[in-house]
Amino acid sequence: MGKQKKEQQQAELLSTLDDFTSKENWDKFFSIRGTNDTFEWYAEWPQLRDLLLTQISSPPEIDGQTSAQSEVQILVPGCGNSRLSEQLYDAGFRCITNIDFSKVVIGDMLKRNVRSRPCMRWRVMDMTSMQFADKSFDIVLDKGGLDALMEPELGPTLGTQYVSEVKRVLKEGGKFICLTLGESHVLGMFFPKFRYGWNINIHILPQKPSKSSKSSLRTFLVVAEKVSPTTLQAISTSFHHDTLGSGDQACGIIEALDTENKIRTNWSNGNDILYSLEDLKIGVKGDISELRPGLRVELTLGGPGQSRFCYKTVLLDAQQNSDEFLYHCGVFLVPKTRAHEWLFSSEEGQWMIVESSNSARLIMVFLDASHTGTSSEDIQKDLSPLVKQLAPSKIEDAAQIPFMAASDGIKERKVVHQVTSALTGQIIVDDVVYEKVDGQLAQLSITNDLVFRRLTFERSEGLIQSEGILTSEGSQKKAAENGNKKSNSSTKSKKKESQKRTDSQLSVVDASNDLSVDHGYLASSYHSGIISGFMLISSYLERMASSGRIVRAVVIGLGAGLLPMFLHRSIPFLQIEAAELDPVVVDIARDYFGFKEDERLKVHVTDGIKFVGDISTKSHVANGSCKVLKTEGECIDRVDILIVDVDSPDSSSGMTCPAADFVEESFLKTVKNSLSEEGLFVINLVSRSPAIKEMVISRMKGVFSKLFSLQLEEDVNEVIFALNSEGHTSPESYNQLQKLLNVKHPEMNTSIIDSAKKIKSIDG
């Protein structure tokens, strides 16, 4: 019976260890085990004594004086029935407070020590929510408690809450002494929490003498000492990494140390610093409760134990007097699809947002994939208690902090097609209805919502590559009368901050299966702008058309094929070639946007720069005319119109369109050599950086005889026109262009001519 009872007791004991965070389990564990059967995590006193006493026996300095050993205030969270506190007490440390959330073990330990160690204190308390005042202890001594809270299946929430409490209750100069196995998920949470204002030293405990030849897991003693808030030092170790061996535990801790110390080195050099809310609250960047004009700080806001989500955030204090602003503090949400735009990702762009927000302090919050599907109300609810801690002292209520957001203003949306290309990445075709529109199309007499089909590259974070209007198949006129309004806005530029977006699939977009792209409309103002520049060579185009000659046009970047299709339909004397690098994009243009080739419209699956380069290398002068060799003994005209309409895969560079290679001097010279004498080069430039625009224009001035510009989208989208010869704008050139265009819809003709009248010469 005795053996069976013992086996049953062991089985019950093991069952209590399924969840280290369960108070009921620990109550049961200690009830079964009994008062005198102590349970020691990781190490016993002989292995721990010398190193531990060395750390504790150096009491912190307070106002230049050290406290006596017996006066050192020590807290032991999750004490259990370990004898460690008793052994420290017997070593001369009298001010020891032990806490555990198991009332069973606290009762047992109090009984065991009440007479022999009367100064020792025992309290039932949750270590993740301690009931102590700030800065109450010199030492917090953890023996496996953090590891227990950081079980992988539990996540980091409890461990994070516990560490925050430890930091709160420690005095200046105090130490958090943590015995741990040093697993990567534990150190991955621990190290970032003890960056600014802490010195970390790691020691390794001697192993217990064992008859087994197999090596066991090593126990580490991590000491985090609370120092000046601005201090950021590399983590030091008292052992050489080679002594750890090559097992999983050794590799894990070495990798964690190397990774963290690289971050600390970079930050010490001022590179890529990302603060935490706790860092700012302790004064790493000074007193954030007061406005400091020109202050800009990048930080991580929230996370496990603090909020539902973690947020990448930038805090900016306006550069001018705060009295000029409507709000003391505001929050601006940037959706994932727009986070990489220059306006939001660059410092220059962010200061523009501060100015337009009317806030003395703006907290820009960048949403990511983890926030997908969460309502704006839930995001605001999660953020409110966090941003209040970043608000100036004048803000007493979080309700005084307005929330603003950037959005693309979509009312309805349906994803039509998704595919992943090896060259472009994820590509999305969707049908949308916009909430509000302006411009030429808004002037139409329309009664129903108009549906737009869009092509988007996920790599470009929300950049709309192409956009066309869907109408009833074979009945564009009826569609023009019954569709809804859409702004003649540039889809290659980013959408303005506007109304809230939803992904609802409502009746209007559901009906889009019965519609097709209308190639008689240009939904994008930059497309109309490109064509308006033909006015600069309208006399040449008129001569070519009158003589029955073909004008050769090349478009680099097919996208959905909407611009080539409109040109093909509206200017019958054009011979159009498009160069597109990605065959998947070509298939999408054909299958979803109605792109079709014929004898006047061809697409080449090739690199655009190489395509233009091949034209240039074949160029020669024959009988005073510029020609391009087609085959031996046969010539065709050089390119008369060359359009670059490609996006940049790296919009964080400050240039959303085109890719940087297309504005290199070498390519511009290649373009010049490829153009006919009266040819026109058109490039769609999307950037909010004046410096980048100036750089591009400067390079183009060095190559071409004359430059013109058409500004679109409130200084974001600019179409640059370059000529090999002198061009001009005049009423006659407007009339010539209007006669050359065979545009079915009068409002499109009006839009193009109106854009042409806005083209201005760029002085050399």
Side-chain angles (χ1 to χ4, degrees):
M1 279 297 291
K3 183 178 180 181
Q4 289 181 344
K5 184 176 181 180
K6 186 175 181 180
E7 290 176 349
Q8 181 181 358
Q9 189 180 64
Q10 289 177 339
E12 290 179 0
L13 198 62
L14 289 173
S15 69
T16 66
L17 300 179
D18 290 341
D19 182 2
F20 289 142
T21 65
S22 169
K23 184 176 76 69
E24 290 74 17
N25 279 2
W26 282 112
D27 282 343
K28 185 177 180 181
F29 174 87
F30 290 118
S31 295
I32 296 172
R33 196 171 181 102
T35 303
N36 295 318
D37 190 3
T38 59
F39 180 72
E40 299 291 350
W41 286 87
Y42 301 157
E44 297 191 13
W45 185 244
Q47 291 79 46
L48 185 58
R49 178 182 55 213
D50 293 343
L51 181 57
L52 183 59
L53 291 180
T54 298
Q55 294 298 324
I56 301 178
S57 295
S58 301
E61 287 193 8
I62 303 174
D63 296 331
Q65 298 182 357
T66 59
S67 56
Q69 177 172 298
S70 61
E71 296 175 353
V72 175
Q73 297 290 331
I74 300 175
L75 174 66
V76 183
C79 60
N81 66 358
S82 167
R83 293 194 179 275
L84 178 60
S85 298
E86 298 168 343
Q87 290 155 341
L88 281 174
Y89 190 97
D90 295 345
F93 298 93
R94 296 290 186 262
C95 300
I96 301 175
T97 300
N98 303 273
I99 65 171
D100 201 295
F101 66 176
S102 170
K103 62 182 179 181
V104 173
V105 77
I106 289 296
D108 287 345
M109 294 300 285
L110 180 59
K111 292 176 184 177
R112 194 167 85 185
N113 289 282
V114 67
R115 292 185 178 178
S116 56
R117 301 175 182 90
C119 295
M120 191 111 73
R121 292 180 290 274
W122 305 89
R123 295 185 62 178
V124 178
M125 191 180 298
D126 183 350
M127 60 201 292
T128 66
S129 181
M130 300 184 202
Q131 299 163 23
F132 299 115
D134 295 355
K135 301 179 181 180
S136 296
F137 297 97
D138 300 302
I139 303 290
V140 175
L141 177 57
D142 177 292
K143 192 163 180 261
L146 179 60
D147 285 6
L149 294 175
M150 289 288 293
E151 283 295 299
E153 61 271 15
L154 298 175
T157 299
L158 292 175
T160 301
Q161 290 174 338
Y162 168 50
V163 164
S164 295
E165 284 292 87
V166 169
K167 294 169 70 174
R168 180 182 66 81
V169 301
L170 270 176
K171 298 177 182 179
E172 301 298 332
K175 294 179 181 178
F176 178 35
I177 302 175
C178 180
L179 274 76
T180 174
L181 295 179
E183 294 176 282
S184 58
H185 68 280
V186 176
L187 298 182
M189 182 279 294
F190 186 96
F191 288 161
K193 285 289 184 181
F194 291 91
R195 282 180 179 151
Y196 281 98
W198 298 86
N199 285 341
I200 298 180
N201 293 278
I202 301 179
H203 311 272
I204 191 168
L205 296 183
Q207 291 179 292
K208 293 181 183 180
S210 173
K211 297 179 181 179
S212 172
S213 59
K214 295 182 180 180
S215 61
S216 60
L217 292 175
R218 305 299 299 269
T219 300
F220 298 90
L221 188 142
V222 180
V223 181
E225 183 178 5
K226 196 172 188 178
V227 293
S228 168
T230 57
T231 298
L232 179 65
Q233 294 187 355
I235 298 171
S236 63
T237 61
S238 62
F239 53 88
H240 196 279
H241 291 181
D242 292 344
T243 62
L244 295 178
S246 58
D248 290 343
Q249 185 190 31
C251 292
I253 194 168
I254 291 171
E255 181 179 358
L257 280 167
D258 289 345
T259 300
E260 178 64 20
N261 278 335
K262 284 179 182 177
I263 293 173
R264 291 174 182 239
T265 299
N266 283 336
W267 287 17
S268 295
N269 295 330
N271 301 323
D272 304 320
I273 302 177
L274 195 63
Y275 298 101
S276 69
L277 178 58
E278 291 178 329
D279 292 335
L280 297 187
K281 289 173 69 176
I282 65 173
V284 171
K285 296 295 290 183
D287 185 4
I288 63 167
S289 68
E290 298 297 327
L291 289 169
R292 295 163 55 196
L295 175 68
R296 180 183 179 277
V297 182
E298 296 185 19
L299 68 148
T300 299
L301 197 58
Q306 299 176 337
S307 60
R308 179 180 173 187
F309 296 111
C310 183
Y311 304 90
K312 179 185 175 183
T313 307
V314 180
L315 180 149
L316 303 109
D317 282 355
Q319 295 168 316
Q320 57 264 53
N321 194 309
S322 63
D323 294 336
E324 300 174 5
F325 292 90
L326 182 62
Y327 308 109
H328 289 300
C329 184
V331 179
F332 191 91
L333 302 179
V334 182
K336 172 182 177 289
T337 55
R338 304 192 64 185
H340 290 329
E341 292 183 36
W342 178 88
L343 181 62
F344 305 114
S345 64
S346 71
E347 290 189 31
E348 188 178 352
Q350 289 168 4
W351 287 119
M352 290 181 179
I353 297 296
V354 174
E355 186 174 350
S356 63
S357 71
N358 222 354
S359 300
R361 170 171 291 173
L362 187 66
I363 302 168
M364 293 186 69
V365 179
F366 293 82
L367 305 181
D368 56 34
S370 68
H371 309 114
T372 302
T374 307
S375 70
S376 58
E377 290 80 7
D378 287 342
I379 292 291
Q380 182 172 340
K381 183 179 179 181
D382 194 42
L383 273 170
S384 289
L386 299 172
V387 297
K388 187 178 184 302
Q389 299 178 67
L390 290 173
S393 56
K394 295 180 180 179
I395 302 290
E396 297 179 358
D397 185 356
Q400 296 177 295
I401 304 175
F403 276 71
M404 297 162 273
S407 172
D408 51 13
I410 294 175
K411 182 165 69 174
E412 302 177 27
R413 176 176 184 259
K414 180 178 72 175
V415 175
V416 176
H417 179 67
Q418 292 188 75
V419 65
T420 300
S421 161
L423 291 175
T424 307
Q426 187 176 26
I427 302 173
I428 299 173
V429 178
D430 60 3
D431 292 345
V432 301
V433 173
Y434 292 100
E435 290 184 341
K436 182 182 178 182
V437 294
D438 311 296
Q440 290 288 340
L441 293 181
Q443 298 174 14
L444 300 176
S445 176
I446 292 172
T447 58
N448 297 320
D449 282 335
L450 191 63
V451 183
F452 292 82
R453 177 157 293 173
R454 311 187 308 176
L455 174 67
T456 306
F457 295 167
E458 189 69 16
R459 74 179 185 190
S460 298
E461 297 291 341
L463 175 68
I464 302 169
Q465 300 296 320
S466 301
E467 184 172 44
I469 299 174
L470 295 181
T471 65
S472 300
E473 189 172 0
S475 181
Q476 288 89 352
K477 182 176 180 180
K478 179 180 177 182
E481 294 171 351
N482 296 330
N484 196 8
K485 306 174 184 179
K486 158 71 171 74
S487 123
N488 220 7
S489 64
S490 168
T491 52
K492 273 294 176 74
S493 67
K494 305 292 185 169
K495 297 293 180 181
K496 303 175 188 177
E497 298 86 60
S498 58
Q499 290 77 19
K500 181 180 67 179
R501 169 181 178 168
T502 69
D503 286 331
S504 305
Q505 297 184 11
L506 305 179
S507 57
V508 176
V509 291
D510 283 337
S512 64
N513 293 335
D514 299 325
L515 305 176
S516 59
V517 174
D518 186 344
H519 294 112
Y521 274 116
L522 289 174
S524 304
S525 64
Y526 88 93
H527 276 162
S528 299
I530 286 173
I531 298 173
S532 73
F534 292 7
M535 169 267 299
L536 297 168
I537 58 169
S538 59
S539 296
Y540 171 69
L541 295 177
E542 188 174 53
R543 293 198 310 271
M544 295 291 283
S546 299
S547 62
R549 298 181 64 186
I550 293 297
V551 172
R552 186 183 184 193
V554 170
V555 179
I556 306 300
L558 177 68
L562 301 176
L563 178 60
M565 287 295 288
F566 184 88
L567 291 172
H568 175 269
R569 177 172 181 164
S570 304
I571 309 179
F573 56 86
L574 285 186
Q575 177 74 40
I576 306 166
E577 296 173 86
E580 172 57 53
L581 182 63
D582 193 341
V584 176
V585 173
V586 177
D587 289 340
I588 289 174
R590 289 171 176 152
D591 296 342
Y592 295 94
F593 291 87
F595 176 75
K596 295 179 181 179
E597 295 178 78
D598 61 18
E599 67 280 357
R600 288 181 42 239
L601 175 57
K602 301 292 183 184
V603 63
H604 305 273
V605 179
T606 184
D607 177 81
I609 291 178
K610 181 180 183 299
F611 185 74
V612 177
D614 289 345
I615 295 173
S616 177
T617 56
K618 296 173 184 176
S619 298
H620 75 289
V621 178
N623 298 325
S625 300
C626 293
K627 300 286 183 178
V628 172
L629 286 173
K630 185 176 182 183
T631 61
E632 187 175 353
E634 181 183 4
C635 295
I636 63 172
D637 291 337
R638 277 187 176 183
V639 178
D640 297 298
I641 301 170
L642 198 157
I643 301 168
V644 171
D645 186 21
V646 294
D647 76 301
S648 169
D650 181 21
S651 61
S652 63
S653 66
M655 190 161 54
T656 304
C657 180
D661 290 344
F662 288 92
V663 293
E664 290 293 336
E665 185 178 357
S666 57
F667 176 73
L668 297 176
K669 289 180 177 179
T670 301
V671 170
K672 180 179 175 66
N673 292 334
S674 304
L675 286 176
S676 61
E677 185 177 346
E678 296 183 75
L680 174 68
F681 174 47
V682 188
I683 192 164
N684 182 37
L685 177 62
V686 182
S687 176
R688 283 188 179 269
S689 171
I692 289 176
K693 287 186 177 183
E694 289 175 9
M695 176 271 292
V696 172
I697 291 173
S698 175
R699 288 181 182 175
M700 294 183 72
K701 281 181 178 179
V703 175
F704 295 96
S705 302
K706 190 69 176 177
L707 295 185
F708 293 83
S709 168
L710 173 63
Q711 193 70 62
L712 297 169
E713 269 312 286
E714 296 184 354
D715 302 326
V716 178
N717 204 259
E718 186 173 6
V719 182
I720 308 295
F721 307 96
L723 300 170
N724 268 341
S725 58
E726 288 294 321
H728 67 280
T729 62
S730 69
E732 180 59 28
S733 59
Y734 304 142
N735 294 332
Q736 287 175 333
L737 176 61
Q738 195 162 12
K739 291 177 183 178
L740 292 170
L741 293 173
N742 181 24
V743 179
K744 185 172 184 179
H745 302 292
E747 60 274 2
M748 286 309 309
N749 207 330
T750 301
S751 176
I752 292 170
I753 299 304
D754 285 349
S755 293
K757 293 177 180 178
K758 297 176 183 177
I759 294 175
K760 297 180 180 179
S761 174
I762 299 176
D763 296 330

